[in-house]
Amino acid sequence: MLELKKISKSYQTGSFVQQALKDVSIEFRNNEFVAILGASGSGKTTLLNIIGGLDRYDSGDLIINNKSTKKFKSIDWDRYRNNCVGFIFQNYNLIPHISILDNVEMGMTLSGVSSKERSKRAKEALKKVGLLEHAHKKPNQLSGGQMQRVAIARALVNNPDIILADEPTGALDTKTSIQIMDLIQEIAKDKLVIMVTHNPELAHEYATRIIEFQDGKKLSDSNPIKKEEQDTSTLKIRKTAMSFATALKLSFNNIKTKKGRTLLTAFASSIGIIGIGLILSLSNGFKIEVDRFERDSLSQAPIIISTQAMNMDEETMEKISTNNHLEKYPTEEKVFVQDDVVQTMLHTNILSDEYLNYIKKMDSKNLAGISYQTTTGFTIINHSSDGYQLVAGSSYWTILPTNPNQNENGIVEDNYDILAGSIDESVPGLILQVDNKNQIYESTLKALGLSGKEVTFHDILNQELKVVFNDDYYIQYGEAFVPSQDLEKLYHSDHSVTLKVQAIIRGKEDKEMLTSGSGIAYTNSLTELVISKNKDSKIVRMQQEKDYNVLTNQPFDNSSMSTNTKDTILGYLGAEVAPSIIYLYPKDFDSKEEITSYLDQYNQGKEEKDTVQYTDMAAMISSLSGNIMDAITVVLVAFSSISLIVSSIMIAIITYISVLERIKEIGILRALGARKKDIKRVFNAETFIIGLCSGLLGILIAYLLTIPVNQIIENLSGLPNVAKLNIIHAIILIIINVILTMIGGAIPAKMASKKDPVEALRTE
Ligand code: ADP
Ligand code: MG
């Protein structure tokens, strides 16, 4: 079953070559107790390591099952060690951080025996060596003799055909040595036991065959195999493989012995995670906060459709920069003409009847308010202690948006508190808006015909103004018209209509974004009244016929920004003209989406010049703030990622140190048949555990830090609970951390797997 044929082995240290074995040939019986005797340095350990497949021979051959092992691969040796050989060492070589039972089970664990079977067999083996009651102790809780018995149990448990013992009693006192020798002799009954010793008495007392060594050569053999002896037995070689769970258990137990260091490592390498976690939770929280804020306060900001629209979409922006393909700092002696930026961006919207009808057909359920800004002018006269005055400010007044859904809240009710009076859109009237300190400008007060530093709501609501109409106000003077000067007469004329402040309103506290400021608004019915009264007035009819300004007797100026065009003058005279701006107030965020998509639909399939462009300020602000926030987040995360990289380098160093510390364990595992792959797995498991710990720790700390961070933010800005750690982010961060740490530990783990098992066992 086992035969050495002219085995030679030499070690090279620097330029010095030490021949440890020279042409050694021995044939072993499958059941005998062989003692190898020899002085220190005679090559006994080397011989044993070669027989056990831990070390490789230089020349000659080791015959196993009548087959040469010259072509054996690393994996074949691993299987051979695991299945066929049990090692017993002078210094026991137990893995210190796992229990006696686990130590004994390890060989079976490597060959994939089920845990129940393992435990059963390990306990049997421990019982055989008389240590069953110590099964759950750690090796350092036992005496030397007990540890050697554990090693014997470990060597026996996989039921190997060969037991190799290298000076098993070398470290024990005489009495204990005898007990151990008795045990080994017991084993030798049905196995091949090869025991190295430098104690001739023990050898002669127990062994059935004694081989003497000197300077790497066989000196004598007391019982060599005779020609007629036939060996028919064979060694059974099965597969071995360590599961990741075993690797995890080994590394977990190892880590448990250095809790403090592992915790510190995990903490140090979790700093990157903490940073990224905090940044993400802050930006996540801010995004939610800003979204909410924008939904609340900006969703009702009107969509503006003006005759002159600023077009800032991507296409236009691209158009503006089309000349960008031109070379910078050209040497050509030419000047290149660029498109006028403002002209390119400016889009003239034609608010045709077709378009106005399209707007009117819009589903009013999405609208909280709508208003048409026209140039319709009206003439108002107030009466105060100073006498009668024309109200010049009417062109600065705003038109009150009408509520398209009578039985629901409109834009005004949604955003303003009505402090006094009530709004009746069907009655021509004024609405006074005060700011959040109930202030209005003096000019506003004067326009109402009032004065003083403080005015009561009552006085304002009781103030009467009069609207006068063209036929009373304008007096024809040849080809032109001039305004009448007798305001008192106009004020008291039967033709003029009384106008009152219907209500005093103030922006709601939480709607400051939309409602700050003060001023006067008027109901749409005032516009309608003026238009209906002025429609048939002489001056309007005349202006419609003439192609010059009847108020100044001057020709019109039709350039784009002119206020002296026929339409403008007709509007000024209170005739019906097309609106110049339409304000659409969406009910909420979702309504806005529907409104804009309805408006977009109108433009579909139309030529660019026939499209009507709208301006959505809220969307512009949102996308701007969103982009800025994303950019800041990316920069901060990138910075924190550096600490992640640093921590993976640190993990690489820590793993390297751990490899150095666990070299002995590597040797033991290899002696028990662990593959290189399995060793790699042990260290990958260690970095996996550290990566997982630091990831979890980082996330936990980041989460805990959000509490004081939120407190600070709340104190600074009044916003509660801004920082929110997203669970998905947390999981992704932990996974990334585990991957990075495992990458960091991969090189040292690979190094560990390449360690020579013989050298590994030699280290102390
Ligand atoms: P023994 O076990 O009989 O004391 P060894 O087999 O350990 O002897 O060693 C045989 C010879 O080989 C010794 O001279 C020893 O110094 C040398 N030797 C053993 N292992 C190595 C090694 N890894 N590197 C260099 N020399 C070695
Ligand atoms: Mg030795």
Side-chain angles (χ1 to χ4, degrees), residues 11-13 18 20 39-47 759 762:
Y11 293 105
Q12 185 158 10
T13 26
Q18 172 73 45
S40 180
S42 57
K44 307 180 298 290
T45 299
T46 308
L47 178 80
E759 269 180 52
R762 240 177 239 276

Side-chain angles (χ1 to χ4, degrees), residues 393-409:
S394 65
S395 53
Y396 298 112
W397 296 358
T398 55
I399 184 156
L400 191 75
T402 53
N403 179 1
N405 308 290
Q406 294 311 326
N407 40 8
E408 284 177 39
N409 271 358

Side-chain angles (χ1 to χ4, degrees), residues 380-441:
I380 289 176
I381 299 167
N382 70 36
H383 180 210
S384 68
S385 48
D386 293 341
Y388 299 90
Q389 266 178 325
L390 262 182
V391 178
S394 65
S395 53
Y396 298 112
W397 296 358
T398 55
I399 184 156
L400 191 75
T402 53
N403 179 1
N405 308 290
Q406 294 311 326
N407 40 8
E408 284 177 39
N409 271 358
I411 183 75
V412 180
E413 291 88 336
D414 273 350
N415 294 287
Y416 298 87
D417 289 320
I418 296 174
L419 303 179
S422 61
I423 298 168
D424 186 350
E425 285 179 30
S426 63
V427 175
L430 305 179
I431 289 90
L432 178 68
Q433 185 193 341
V434 296
D435 73 6
N436 57 9
K437 292 174 178 167
N438 279 16
Q439 296 180 113
I440 56 170
Y441 291 108

